[in-house]
Amino acid sequence: MSVNHKSSAILILAVCLILTIILCLSYIPMWKYDLIVPGPGVTRVAWLSDYVPELKGSLADTRVFILEGQEPGANILVLSGHHADEPGGWMSGMVLVEKAQVKTGKLVVIPQANNSGFTHNYPQEAHAQFISIPRPDGTSRRYRHGSRTGNSAEHWPDPEVFIQYPSGQKLSGDEVRNLNRAYPGRLNGTFTERIAYGIQMVVRNEQIDLQMDMHEAQPEYPFVNAVSAHPAAEELASLASLGMQTHDLDLGVELSPATFRGLSNREMGDAVSGLMAVTMETANTEQGKIRGITDDLLAVQGQDAFYVAAAKLGNLFVPYDEGGWPLKRRVGRHLTAFKELALALQDLSGKPFDIANVPDYYELVANDVGYYLNPINEKVSDPGYQSYPGIWRLFSKTSSQDRS
Amino acid sequence: MPPTYLIVMALYTVLTAYILYLVISNMLRSRDVWEQIMAVFVIVPLFMRLIFIK
């Protein structure tokens, strides 16, 4: 081709620059923290860096909502958003923050446990960057829809093999950014281990009795619509499963395997004496590997014709029809299980825990998720951009007084 | 003393900058326009990594 090679090179460099700017502008809005409208039950909003100051100014920093009752009782921690591509998990945490009111005991909610995971998408999954939840008044609430793992702009490169601390178990390299493989964490460890360490400090400082971790999994995954319990929480999970039967909901119970390390329930249950720790899973179509069109609607509506066909062939571990597994059913399952686990905790520990305004499965199916999210009003301050990855963290807000 | 992972990340950032320098300087010398076009697929992601966007 007879072209001036210098001119073509400069032209292509200019194209590179334009493409880079366009792509950067599409990623950077995901660094902005989601707007969460705390309900009247929230008595204090803290940050993970209030427990571990070393996390300040990094994408690891995330909000910790505390709902304290008037009387002391059991202390419960709800973790969600370990995996930011599991909206049924983190939306359950959001509903608790925006609607629940604790009368006796204390509820601590970290709805976006791995904030770093919310700042980017998982490669090659074609997931939407944002999802919108419609409210009954015609408005909608918009949330980031992130990745299973933390942002590689904050922590890279991944090793060929991730060696889990402290077990020494070998896992695939990108699991080094998976918060649910990083427990119990350590302050001088990897970026993700530092987040896990921060959550461990929340558990210790808030004297948590029960830790619930809300997740989702693909419908073809054997462990779904189920709870995985640390041995110390086995009886608690069994009682909650029986309680779910009274709502005509099945909840499988499995013991967290001693040979699979780094999980929140297994490691925190081992590390913190007296803590009961469980992990819950619901069925999320958009995580499934045989799904069809992947867009923001799939995350919310959870309907996919390929999964209907797979269910007819008996290849799934959950019932699946044309209605699919919409977000309202998944959040409904998590919150009903939350209430049953809290009841079981009272029975086993003797510590009272009284909470109101937590919708159950049938209320969520009837009203949908948006009904349980607060409207955005002028009193709610937008957290905006609090922290940035890499060298950009020099521009992060460094003082907690700056935070809203 | 920053955590080890930050030191490793800084070293790889220097490596990324060096690879970018090699690719761009090679592209400016190349007389094959298709080779120059293919460089887009290296330059854009590496530049985004260099400036910690993705």
Side-chain angles (χ1 to χ4, degrees), chain A residues 187-217:
Chain A
L187 188 55
N188 60 349
T190 66
F191 175 75
T192 316
E193 285 169 351
R194 288 155 71 91
I195 304 173
Y197 179 78
I199 291 170
Q200 186 193 144
M201 289 303 107
V202 174
V203 170
R204 292 187 186 280
N205 289 338
E206 301 295 344
Q207 298 178 312
I208 298 298
D209 301 299
L210 167 60
Q211 171 189 292
M212 299 181 205
D213 186 4
M214 294 175 173
H215 283 257
E216 296 204 276

Short mmCIF file of all heavy atoms in Angstrom, two decimals, chain A residues 187-217:
data_model
loop_
_atom_site.label_atom_id
_atom_site.label_comp_id
_atom_site.label_asym_id
_atom_site.label_seq_id
_atom_site.Cartn_x
_atom_site.Cartn_y
_atom_site.Cartn_z
N LEU A 187 -3.48 -7.41 57.31
CA LEU A 187 -3.25 -5.99 57.01
C LEU A 187 -2.10 -5.79 56.02
O LEU A 187 -2.14 -4.89 55.19
CB LEU A 187 -2.97 -5.23 58.31
CG LEU A 187 -2.91 -3.71 58.20
CD1 LEU A 187 -4.17 -3.15 57.58
CD2 LEU A 187 -2.70 -3.09 59.57
N ASN A 188 -1.09 -6.63 56.09
CA ASN A 188 0.07 -6.45 55.20
C ASN A 188 0.00 -7.40 54.00
O ASN A 188 1.02 -7.71 53.39
CB ASN A 188 1.37 -6.67 55.97
CG ASN A 188 1.45 -8.07 56.56
OD1 ASN A 188 0.45 -8.79 56.56
ND2 ASN A 188 2.61 -8.43 57.07
N GLY A 189 -1.22 -7.85 53.66
CA GLY A 189 -1.38 -8.78 52.54
C GLY A 189 -1.74 -8.08 51.26
O GLY A 189 -1.42 -6.91 51.04
N THR A 190 -2.43 -8.81 50.37
CA THR A 190 -2.86 -8.24 49.09
C THR A 190 -3.98 -7.23 49.33
O THR A 190 -4.54 -7.14 50.43
CB THR A 190 -3.37 -9.34 48.15
OG1 THR A 190 -4.56 -9.90 48.72
CG2 THR A 190 -2.34 -10.43 47.95
N PHE A 191 -4.31 -6.51 48.27
CA PHE A 191 -5.40 -5.53 48.36
C PHE A 191 -6.67 -6.18 48.91
O PHE A 191 -7.34 -5.65 49.79
CB PHE A 191 -5.64 -4.96 46.95
CG PHE A 191 -6.80 -4.03 46.86
CD1 PHE A 191 -6.71 -2.75 47.34
CD2 PHE A 191 -7.98 -4.45 46.26
CE1 PHE A 191 -7.80 -1.88 47.26
CE2 PHE A 191 -9.06 -3.58 46.17
CZ PHE A 191 -8.96 -2.30 46.67
N THR A 192 -7.02 -7.36 48.38
CA THR A 192 -8.27 -8.02 48.78
C THR A 192 -8.18 -8.56 50.20
O THR A 192 -9.17 -8.52 50.95
CB THR A 192 -8.59 -9.15 47.78
OG1 THR A 192 -8.37 -8.67 46.45
CG2 THR A 192 -10.04 -9.58 47.89
N GLU A 193 -7.01 -9.04 50.59
CA GLU A 193 -6.84 -9.51 51.97
C GLU A 193 -6.99 -8.36 52.96
O GLU A 193 -7.45 -8.56 54.09
CB GLU A 193 -5.46 -10.16 52.13
CG GLU A 193 -5.36 -11.55 51.50
CD GLU A 193 -3.93 -12.07 51.44
OE1 GLU A 193 -2.98 -11.31 51.72
OE2 GLU A 193 -3.77 -13.24 51.06
N ARG A 194 -6.64 -7.16 52.54
CA ARG A 194 -6.80 -5.99 53.43
C ARG A 194 -8.28 -5.68 53.64
O ARG A 194 -8.70 -5.27 54.72
CB ARG A 194 -6.06 -4.78 52.85
CG ARG A 194 -4.54 -4.91 52.97
CD ARG A 194 -3.81 -4.09 51.93
NE ARG A 194 -3.88 -2.66 52.13
CZ ARG A 194 -2.99 -1.94 52.82
NH1 ARG A 194 -1.97 -2.53 53.39
NH2 ARG A 194 -3.11 -0.64 52.93
N ILE A 195 -9.10 -5.87 52.57
CA ILE A 195 -10.55 -5.65 52.73
C ILE A 195 -11.11 -6.69 53.71
O ILE A 195 -11.88 -6.36 54.62
CB ILE A 195 -11.28 -5.77 51.38
CG1 ILE A 195 -10.70 -4.82 50.35
CG2 ILE A 195 -12.78 -5.50 51.56
CD1 ILE A 195 -11.28 -5.00 48.94
N ALA A 196 -10.72 -7.96 53.49
CA ALA A 196 -11.20 -9.03 54.38
C ALA A 196 -10.80 -8.74 55.83
O ALA A 196 -11.58 -8.96 56.77
CB ALA A 196 -10.64 -10.38 53.93
N TYR A 197 -9.59 -8.22 56.01
CA TYR A 197 -9.13 -7.87 57.36
C TYR A 197 -10.02 -6.76 57.94
O TYR A 197 -10.38 -6.80 59.12
CB TYR A 197 -7.67 -7.42 57.30
CG TYR A 197 -7.10 -7.01 58.63
CD1 TYR A 197 -6.69 -7.97 59.55
CD2 TYR A 197 -6.98 -5.66 58.98
CE1 TYR A 197 -6.18 -7.60 60.77
CE2 TYR A 197 -6.47 -5.29 60.20
CZ TYR A 197 -6.06 -6.26 61.11
OH TYR A 197 -5.57 -5.89 62.33
N GLY A 198 -10.38 -5.80 57.10
CA GLY A 198 -11.27 -4.72 57.56
C GLY A 198 -12.60 -5.28 58.04
O GLY A 198 -13.13 -4.86 59.09
N ILE A 199 -13.15 -6.24 57.30
CA ILE A 199 -14.43 -6.82 57.70
C ILE A 199 -14.26 -7.64 58.99
O ILE A 199 -15.13 -7.63 59.87
CB ILE A 199 -15.01 -7.66 56.54
CG1 ILE A 199 -15.43 -6.70 55.41
CG2 ILE A 199 -16.20 -8.51 57.00
CD1 ILE A 199 -15.80 -7.36 54.11
N GLN A 200 -13.12 -8.29 59.12
CA GLN A 200 -12.85 -9.02 60.37
C GLN A 200 -12.85 -8.04 61.56
O GLN A 200 -13.37 -8.35 62.64
CB GLN A 200 -11.50 -9.75 60.30
CG GLN A 200 -11.24 -10.61 61.50
CD GLN A 200 -9.81 -11.10 61.61
OE1 GLN A 200 -9.29 -11.21 62.72
NE2 GLN A 200 -9.17 -11.39 60.49
N MET A 201 -12.31 -6.84 61.34
CA MET A 201 -12.28 -5.84 62.42
C MET A 201 -13.70 -5.36 62.76
O MET A 201 -14.01 -5.07 63.91
CB MET A 201 -11.40 -4.66 62.02
CG MET A 201 -9.91 -4.97 61.98
SD MET A 201 -9.29 -5.59 63.58
CE MET A 201 -9.06 -7.33 63.20
N VAL A 202 -14.57 -5.27 61.72
CA VAL A 202 -15.97 -4.92 62.00
C VAL A 202 -16.60 -5.99 62.89
O VAL A 202 -17.27 -5.68 63.88
CB VAL A 202 -16.76 -4.79 60.67
CG1 VAL A 202 -18.26 -4.58 60.96
CG2 VAL A 202 -16.22 -3.62 59.84
N VAL A 203 -16.37 -7.26 62.53
CA VAL A 203 -16.94 -8.37 63.32
C VAL A 203 -16.46 -8.29 64.76
O VAL A 203 -17.25 -8.44 65.71
CB VAL A 203 -16.55 -9.73 62.68
CG1 VAL A 203 -16.90 -10.89 63.61
CG2 VAL A 203 -17.22 -9.90 61.33
N ARG A 204 -15.17 -8.02 64.94
CA ARG A 204 -14.62 -8.02 66.31
C ARG A 204 -15.09 -6.77 67.08
O ARG A 204 -15.52 -6.86 68.22
CB ARG A 204 -13.09 -8.06 66.25
CG ARG A 204 -12.56 -9.40 65.74
CD ARG A 204 -11.04 -9.46 65.85
NE ARG A 204 -10.50 -10.66 65.24
CZ ARG A 204 -10.49 -11.87 65.80
NH1 ARG A 204 -11.00 -12.02 67.01
NH2 ARG A 204 -9.97 -12.91 65.17
N ASN A 205 -15.01 -5.60 66.45
CA ASN A 205 -15.35 -4.36 67.17
C ASN A 205 -16.84 -4.25 67.48
O ASN A 205 -17.22 -3.69 68.50
CB ASN A 205 -14.91 -3.13 66.36
CG ASN A 205 -13.40 -2.99 66.34
OD1 ASN A 205 -12.71 -3.51 67.20
ND2 ASN A 205 -12.88 -2.30 65.34
N GLU A 206 -17.67 -4.76 66.58
CA GLU A 206 -19.12 -4.66 66.81
C GLU A 206 -19.65 -5.89 67.57
O GLU A 206 -20.86 -6.00 67.77
CB GLU A 206 -19.86 -4.51 65.47
CG GLU A 206 -19.46 -3.30 64.64
CD GLU A 206 -19.80 -1.96 65.29
OE1 GLU A 206 -20.62 -1.95 66.23
OE2 GLU A 206 -19.23 -0.94 64.87
N GLN A 207 -18.76 -6.79 67.94
CA GLN A 207 -19.10 -7.98 68.73
C GLN A 207 -20.27 -8.75 68.11
O GLN A 207 -21.32 -8.96 68.72
CB GLN A 207 -19.42 -7.58 70.18
CG GLN A 207 -18.20 -6.93 70.84
CD GLN A 207 -18.48 -6.47 72.25
OE1 GLN A 207 -19.47 -5.80 72.50
NE2 GLN A 207 -17.60 -6.81 73.17
N ILE A 208 -20.04 -9.15 66.87
CA ILE A 208 -21.08 -9.79 66.08
C ILE A 208 -21.31 -11.23 66.55
O ILE A 208 -20.37 -11.98 66.81
CB ILE A 208 -20.68 -9.77 64.58
CG1 ILE A 208 -20.55 -8.33 64.08
CG2 ILE A 208 -21.67 -10.57 63.74
CD1 ILE A 208 -21.80 -7.49 64.14
N ASP A 209 -22.60 -11.61 66.67
CA ASP A 209 -22.97 -12.98 67.02
C ASP A 209 -23.24 -13.83 65.78
O ASP A 209 -22.98 -15.02 65.77
CB ASP A 209 -24.24 -12.97 67.90
CG ASP A 209 -24.05 -12.19 69.18
OD1 ASP A 209 -23.17 -12.57 69.98
OD2 ASP A 209 -24.77 -11.18 69.38
N LEU A 210 -23.85 -13.21 64.77
CA LEU A 210 -24.23 -13.95 63.56
C LEU A 210 -23.82 -13.14 62.34
O LEU A 210 -24.17 -11.96 62.23
CB LEU A 210 -25.75 -14.19 63.55
CG LEU A 210 -26.37 -14.67 62.24
CD1 LEU A 210 -25.78 -15.99 61.79
CD2 LEU A 210 -27.89 -14.80 62.40
N GLN A 211 -23.10 -13.78 61.43
CA GLN A 211 -22.67 -13.13 60.19
C GLN A 211 -23.34 -13.84 59.01
O GLN A 211 -23.23 -15.04 58.86
CB GLN A 211 -21.15 -13.23 60.07
CG GLN A 211 -20.60 -12.78 58.71
CD GLN A 211 -19.14 -13.11 58.56
OE1 GLN A 211 -18.29 -12.54 59.25
NE2 GLN A 211 -18.81 -14.03 57.67
N MET A 212 -24.08 -13.05 58.22
CA MET A 212 -24.74 -13.61 57.03
C MET A 212 -24.10 -12.99 55.80
O MET A 212 -23.96 -11.77 55.71
CB MET A 212 -26.22 -13.26 57.00
CG MET A 212 -27.02 -13.78 58.15
SD MET A 212 -28.73 -13.27 57.89
CE MET A 212 -29.30 -13.28 59.57
N ASP A 213 -23.77 -13.81 54.83
CA ASP A 213 -23.14 -13.35 53.60
C ASP A 213 -24.08 -13.73 52.45
O ASP A 213 -24.36 -14.91 52.24
CB ASP A 213 -21.77 -14.03 53.47
CG ASP A 213 -20.97 -13.51 52.29
OD1 ASP A 213 -21.45 -12.57 51.63
OD2 ASP A 213 -19.88 -14.05 52.04
N MET A 214 -24.59 -12.73 51.72
CA MET A 214 -25.63 -12.97 50.71
C MET A 214 -25.03 -13.00 49.31
O MET A 214 -24.44 -12.03 48.86
CB MET A 214 -26.71 -11.91 50.82
CG MET A 214 -27.47 -12.02 52.13
SD MET A 214 -28.64 -10.71 52.34
CE MET A 214 -29.50 -11.25 53.83
N HIS A 215 -25.22 -14.12 48.64
CA HIS A 215 -24.64 -14.35 47.31
C HIS A 215 -25.69 -14.82 46.33
O HIS A 215 -26.85 -15.02 46.67
CB HIS A 215 -23.55 -15.43 47.41
CG HIS A 215 -22.27 -14.95 47.99
ND1 HIS A 215 -21.16 -14.68 47.23
CD2 HIS A 215 -21.92 -14.67 49.27
CE1 HIS A 215 -20.18 -14.27 48.01
NE2 HIS A 215 -20.61 -14.25 49.26
N GLU A 216 -25.23 -15.04 45.08
CA GLU A 216 -26.05 -15.68 44.06
C GLU A 216 -25.18 -16.64 43.26
O GLU A 216 -23.94 -16.53 43.26
CB GLU A 216 -26.65 -14.65 43.11
CG GLU A 216 -27.60 -13.69 43.80
CD GLU A 216 -28.58 -13.08 42.85
OE1 GLU A 216 -28.24 -12.08 42.20
OE2 GLU A 216 -29.70 -13.61 42.73
N ALA A 217 -25.85 -17.55 42.55
CA ALA A 217 -25.11 -18.51 41.72
C ALA A 217 -25.94 -18.85 40.50
O ALA A 217 -27.15 -18.60 40.46
CB ALA A 217 -24.81 -19.78 42.52
#
